Amino acid sequence: MPAKKRDLDAPGVAQVQFLTVAEVAAMMRVSKMTVYRLVHNGELPAVRVGKSFRVPEKAVHAYLEGAYFDAG
């Protein structure tokens, strides 16, 4: 089934900041493999570009905000 064609001129599309897996790993201070696991498990949304993934920066921030817990 072919991918749906999207209107790239739609508001907001050009404003999305995408990060590489290496950039996400550095930001989260984890290994690239950990980021790949999060992507493949569906915990971190990503877009596949060729053979690599790009992760929306807002998705990384949302994931980290949801990961906080009270250790006390």
Side-chain angles (χ1 to χ4, degrees):
M1 183 172 191
K4 293 181 182 176
K5 184 176 179 180
R6 296 184 182 180
D7 184 5
L8 297 180
D9 294 327
V13 173
Q15 298 169 344
V16 176
Q17 179 70 36
F18 288 99
L19 303 171
T20 65
V21 169
E23 290 170 330
V24 174
M27 181 184 288
M28 295 175 67
R29 294 185 177 217
V30 298
S31 70
K32 290 191 295 185
M33 185 52 68
T34 298
V35 176
Y36 283 118
R37 283 189 196 113
L38 292 172
V39 168
H40 287 291
N41 289 338
E43 297 177 60
L44 191 60
V47 175
R48 188 161 197 144
V49 180
K51 292 185 178 183
S52 61
F53 289 98
R54 296 294 183 265
V55 181
E57 187 174 16
K58 288 184 179 183
V60 176
H61 292 293
Y63 176 81
L64 291 173
E65 287 175 9
Y68 280 104
F69 68 95
D70 186 11

